[in-house]
Amino acid sequence: MILRTALLLSALAVPLSPALAAEAQQRACAQSPGKVLEVCVEVRDGRATYEVSRRGRQVLAPATLGLGFAGEAPVRYTGLSDVRTGTTDATWEQPWGEQRQIRDNHAELGLTLNGDTALNRRVGVTFRIFDEGIGLRYDYKDIPAGQKVAVVSDGTQFRPLGQYTAWWYPALGQERDEYLYTSSDARRITTAETPLTLERDDGLYVSFHEAALVDWPSMLLAGDGAGTLSARLMPWPDGTLAWKTGPFSTPWRTVLITDSIGTLADSRIELNLNEPNTLGDVSWFKPGKYIGVWWEMHLKRTTWASGAQHGATTANVERYMDFAAKYGFDGVLVEGWNKGWDGDWTVEGDKFSFTQAYPDFDMDAIAAYGRKRGVRLIGHHETGGAVENYARQMDAAFDLYKAHDVGVVKTGYVRHSGNIVDADGGLQWFAGQYMVRHDLAVVEAAAKRHIAIDTHEPVKDTGLRRTYPNWISREGARGQEYNAWGDPTNPPEHMTILPFTRLLGGPMDFTPGIFDITRGGIELTRRVQSTLAVQLAEYVVVYSPVQMAADLPENYEKNPAAFQFIRDVPTDWEVTRTLQGKIGDYVVVARQQRGGKDWYLGAITDENARKLPQKLDFLAPGHRYEAQIYADGPGADYRTKPDALTITRKVVTAKDSLDLDLAPGGGAAIRFRALD
């Protein structure tokens, strides 16, 4: 719902003198609403470039623009025309999210690049310029309707000026985006996934990503060893980057530019660059928390496959539903219920049935049991990367789930990237145009049945949850399961990097909440590398509208005091504020419950202990709160004493501050319960 809108896009009204017209048409500039950022586009010597300045100082040096098409020579641009500018200031509401009200305040610079090839003769380029970043996209409106074209090159570059540290991992690995980040001089980047975040030596942050990735391959960034980053798109098997039918527009390429770590983490540019909700009323989806027949299989106590150790049995699922009903959880995820898990399903995904259950799983009985207990089954569609097999069964599979009151489905695509077989036998990357199309087709099919989708092994999040609010969460990073069998498991710094990299893209189903950290004394690098307080803090730091309590039910019942925080913490928020942080070192996030007065805070540090003074000025002034503090206990250390936890209470106001005393690999989780 648009609450207020200022001046929309308008044409330049200032006339140009004939003597200046030719020169002026080679360059056009516009500033953000607060005059923080300025974008200038220029055509010179056959090249079209853009540059970005912040407060009068150039941040991105002139970098090239444009696409190349099969059958055409590289384009030479001869000028720019149709320059238009305008501003928008609007506020809209998310049906669910990390922040209810989103302000969209930007300036717009639109223009046409005039080229010397048929398909690039007139290329629309639009920049939306916010105070904390920009978005740019191409519009090929002059390609005739129905004409099919092949995109074979993307000339978009990014040229950050200065000395930067980057947090990244090499792209196109076989495990998709499930890698640990490394930090290095940005000039050492080979090819990186986005969001790609850099920090300049003077504290300026620059982060590159995309918005509204629809019917287009995912963009990677390739470094040249000197600091320039060039767009690299995941190709089709024949090397074509994208197949399009005219006319068309590309996704937005985004750049966040800010000297505030909080502004970086809390920017909503990506959401603002997506189209509004196309589904209408989505009140049928309710954010919530769930448990599941999941962690026990990662620990090898039960199996996905059928047999004596099968985890997805009617009796076991009903046991989980009893636990969920007792402690206020909305749903129970069940993996391994359907035929196809026997054998090596990661290479034989075409054997999966999405409508036929194993004999010891009675979906009718389970759904009926859940209705009596007030708990819904959360569905699971693991494809093993056999996309065509899933696509053939998808409608019937969603119909089955709808008939059993399943409102959320977790999908999975566990197959090495570059080995996803398409309908023609070609081998696809996990986020090329083929998979981008497939993922959205799944979301649209689910929406017709009022089912929400949580995608694992996904195409990266680019804010499409605004347009399709049933696309509620994704994985897309090294998640909790690596703490069951990873070698090594996730180190403490991992959770202090994600908020400023992967989580800039959107919600992540990380599956937090492991209480049995030591697992009988297993070595450090084969178990969770955190304190218990971190496992609680993750519910605040890592945003998702569906959050899992991932551990075994019996481990929660052994520690009801700590479990209380998981029971209390919401998954839908009125306001989110990243209060402080340093990438790879620590992070502190506070969120206010949607429609309520309570606030929650999560703090996480890396392997180093640290004391962080934290003002409470985010609380409502003039009101009192009971701070329920779940903190690292005496001697807590993720290496030697991860279970040490203290729970204290004190009355605070917005005028107070707290010292967050974080142990090595530790954290803190706080509920601020409103008292008046």
Side-chain angles (χ1 to χ4, degrees):
M1 179 176 63
I2 299 298
L3 300 182
R4 55 189 178 85
T5 305
L7 176 66
L8 297 176
L9 192 65
S10 60
L12 277 176
V14 180
L16 298 174
S17 67
L20 295 176
E23 179 181 353
Q25 286 184 341
Q26 302 305 306
R27 185 176 176 86
C29 300
Q31 292 184 323
S32 65
K35 302 189 183 305
V36 178
L37 298 183
E38 181 178 52
V39 173
C40 291
V41 182
E42 184 173 26
V43 173
R44 178 181 295 182
D45 299 328
R47 299 168 68 242
T49 63
Y50 76 100
E51 60 189 79
V52 182
S53 299
R54 185 176 190 272
R55 301 193 187 281
R57 179 184 175 188
Q58 195 173 72
V59 175
L60 299 183
T64 57
L65 296 165
L67 303 177
F69 296 90
E72 290 197 339
V75 60
R76 285 183 55 83
Y77 293 105
T78 58
L80 58 86
S81 59
D82 305 324
V83 178
R84 57 207 182 275
T85 61
T87 60
T88 293
D89 190 354
T91 300
W92 56 278
E93 181 173 324
Q94 295 196 88
W96 52 266
E98 66 276 56
Q99 184 169 315
R100 186 168 64 88
Q101 298 284 348
I102 305 292
R103 185 182 181 190
D104 179 2
N105 186 23
H106 69 265
E108 186 160 312
L109 171 64
L111 52 89
T112 299
L113 297 177
N114 303 307
D116 66 352
T117 66
L119 297 177
N120 274 302
R121 196 167 306 282
R122 287 177 54 83
V123 182
V125 181
T126 303
F127 286 85
R128 289 188 180 167
I129 312 165
F130 303 78
D131 283 343
E132 78 274 22
I134 67 167
L136 74 97
R137 73 174 177 190
Y138 304 114
D139 298 292
Y140 285 84
K141 297 180 180 178
D142 285 357
I143 295 179
Q147 181 176 339
K148 190 174 183 179
V149 298
V151 178
V152 295
S153 65
D154 187 333
T156 310
Q157 292 183 332
F158 306 90
R159 298 184 60 207
L161 292 170
Q163 301 297 314
Y164 288 87
T165 298
W167 283 266
W168 67 291
Y169 52 86
L172 301 177
Q174 66 178 22
E175 300 303 333
R176 302 158 305 274
D177 289 332
E178 297 178 11
Y179 291 93
L180 294 173
Y181 286 85
T182 186
S183 61
S184 73
D185 187 312
R187 292 171 294 187
R188 297 184 63 185
I189 293 172
T190 52
T191 303
E193 182 60 273
T194 70
L196 170 62
T197 301
L198 316 180
E199 182 180 2
R200 203 166 64 185
D201 53 8
D202 64 354
L204 185 75
Y205 302 98
V206 180
S207 187
F208 306 96
H209 193 40
E210 298 185 79
L213 177 58
V214 175
D215 197 23
W216 194 261
S218 176
M219 179 184 72
L220 309 173
L221 292 174
D224 68 349
T228 295
L229 300 167
S230 299
R232 179 178 175 183
L233 307 183
M234 289 192 187
W236 287 83
D238 66 359
T240 301
L241 302 182
W243 290 99
K244 297 295 293 185
T245 301
F248 71 89
S249 298
T250 68
W252 295 91
R253 287 81 190 281
T254 64
V255 188
L256 297 179
I257 304 171
T258 178
D259 58 5
S260 164
I261 194 74
T263 301
L264 173 73
D266 298 340
S267 173
R268 307 295 175 231
I269 285 179
E270 181 186 72
L271 284 172
N272 281 324
L273 291 174
N274 275 268
E275 296 298 316
N277 175 8
T278 64
L279 301 183
D281 180 14
V282 290
S283 59
W284 39 266
F285 167 68
K286 304 293 185 186
K289 288 170 288 190
Y290 67 100
I291 59 171
V293 183
W294 181 75
W295 188 245
E296 64 181 56
M297 294 184 285
H298 284 286
L299 297 180
K300 298 183 179 180
R301 296 192 179 190
T302 58
T303 63
W304 285 272
S306 63
Q309 294 301 112
H310 189 214
T313 67
T314 302
N316 197 27
V317 174
E318 290 180 349
R319 179 175 71 90
Y320 274 82
M321 284 183 161
D322 288 340
F323 179 88
K326 181 178 179 180
Y327 293 106
F329 288 83
D330 305 291
V332 173
L333 168 70
V334 183
E335 297 193 5
W337 66 272
N338 56 313
K339 292 182 179 179
W341 291 93
D342 301 333
D344 188 354
W345 53 269
T346 66
V347 296
E348 298 179 322
D350 56 351
K351 294 182 179 179
F352 275 121
S353 169
F354 300 97
T355 56
Q356 298 180 44
Y358 283 121
D360 55 1
F361 181 88
D362 187 335
M363 188 177 292
D364 291 339
I366 288 169
Y369 191 83
R371 280 191 290 270
K372 292 179 182 178
R373 306 291 279 147
V375 178
R376 300 174 77 179
L377 182 68
I378 292 178
H380 185 235
H381 286 164
E382 173 55 60
T383 68
V387 172
E388 295 298 322
N389 176 59
Y390 181 44
R392 286 190 293 270
Q393 300 182 60
M394 186 169 61
D395 286 330
F398 283 135
D399 286 341
L400 175 68
Y401 273 151
K402 180 177 175 59
H404 290 85
D405 198 32
V406 174
V408 175
V409 173
K410 172 183 172 182
T411 60
Y413 298 87
V414 180
R415 180 171 290 196
H416 287 165
S417 184
N419 288 299
I420 297 173
V421 182
D422 63 26
D424 299 318
L427 300 181
Q428 298 282 350
W429 295 102
F430 79 101
Q433 189 178 21
Y434 170 82
M435 285 303 296
V436 170
R437 288 172 172 173
H438 168 77
D439 275 11
L440 186 54
V442 172
V443 169
E444 291 176 327
K448 293 177 182 177
R449 283 89 170 174
H450 287 186
I451 292 174
I453 294 296
D454 170 14
T455 313
H456 282 232
E457 296 79 43
V459 174
K460 65 191 177 188
D461 197 342
T462 60
L464 283 167
R465 66 190 186 277
R466 179 184 181 186
T467 311
Y468 302 92
N470 71 317
W471 206 343
I472 55 173
S473 197
R474 311 189 196 200
E475 189 186 34
R478 214 172 190 260
Q480 185 80 273
E481 66 269 25
Y482 280 85
N483 292 329
W485 40 257
D487 188 13
T489 52
N490 300 331
E493 70 172 8
H494 187 56
M495 300 310 299
T496 69
I497 296 173
L498 289 178
F500 310 109
T501 52
R502 158 65 182 88
L503 291 172
L504 298 182
M508 180 182 176
D509 188 22
F510 182 80
T511 61
I514 302 303
F515 278 21
D516 182 14
I517 293 175
T518 59
R519 285 168 49 201
I522 190 171
E523 62 186 290
L524 176 65
T525 57
R526 301 301 300 274
R527 64 161 172 86
V528 175
Q529 297 188 52
S530 82
T531 66
L532 180 55
V534 168
Q535 293 299 304
L536 302 181
E538 286 172 356
Y539 286 90
V540 183
V541 171
V542 180
Y543 170 66
S544 178
V546 287
Q547 290 277 29
M548 187 180 198
D551 209 343
L552 308 180
E554 53 265 35
N555 291 331
Y556 293 128
E557 292 190 318
K558 291 176 184 176
N559 195 343
F563 186 45
Q564 188 62 47
F565 184 84
I566 297 178
R567 296 178 63 191
D568 290 339
V569 66
T571 61
D572 201 15
W573 305 102
E574 189 76 22
V575 177
T576 288
R577 289 184 59 186
T578 300
L579 301 174
Q580 53 178 313
K582 184 172 176 57
I583 306 175
D585 288 352
Y586 63 92
V587 60
V588 182
V589 178
R591 305 183 194 268
Q592 182 186 16
Q593 182 177 7
R594 179 175 288 215
K597 297 179 180 180
D598 290 2
W599 282 78
Y600 291 78
L601 180 146
I604 299 175
T605 186
D606 61 359
E607 71 278 4
N608 298 306
R610 65 185 80 240
K611 182 174 288 187
L612 300 175
Q614 180 57 62
K615 294 181 180 179
L616 304 183
D617 52 4
F618 55 87
L619 298 174
H623 293 271
R624 298 179 309 126
Y625 296 81
E626 180 187 60
Q628 302 171 359
I629 305 169
Y630 299 75
D632 294 320
D637 189 308
Y638 78 103
R639 297 161 294 193
T640 58
K641 197 175 180 181
D643 298 326
L645 183 77
T646 60
I647 304 173
T648 59
R649 289 172 169 78
K650 64 185 299 185
V651 175
V652 299
T653 71
K655 295 180 180 181
D656 294 320
S657 63
L658 294 175
D659 286 332
L660 304 175
D661 198 358
L662 311 181
I670 306 175
R671 177 189 181 187
F672 296 94
R673 185 174 66 87
L675 297 176
D676 50 31

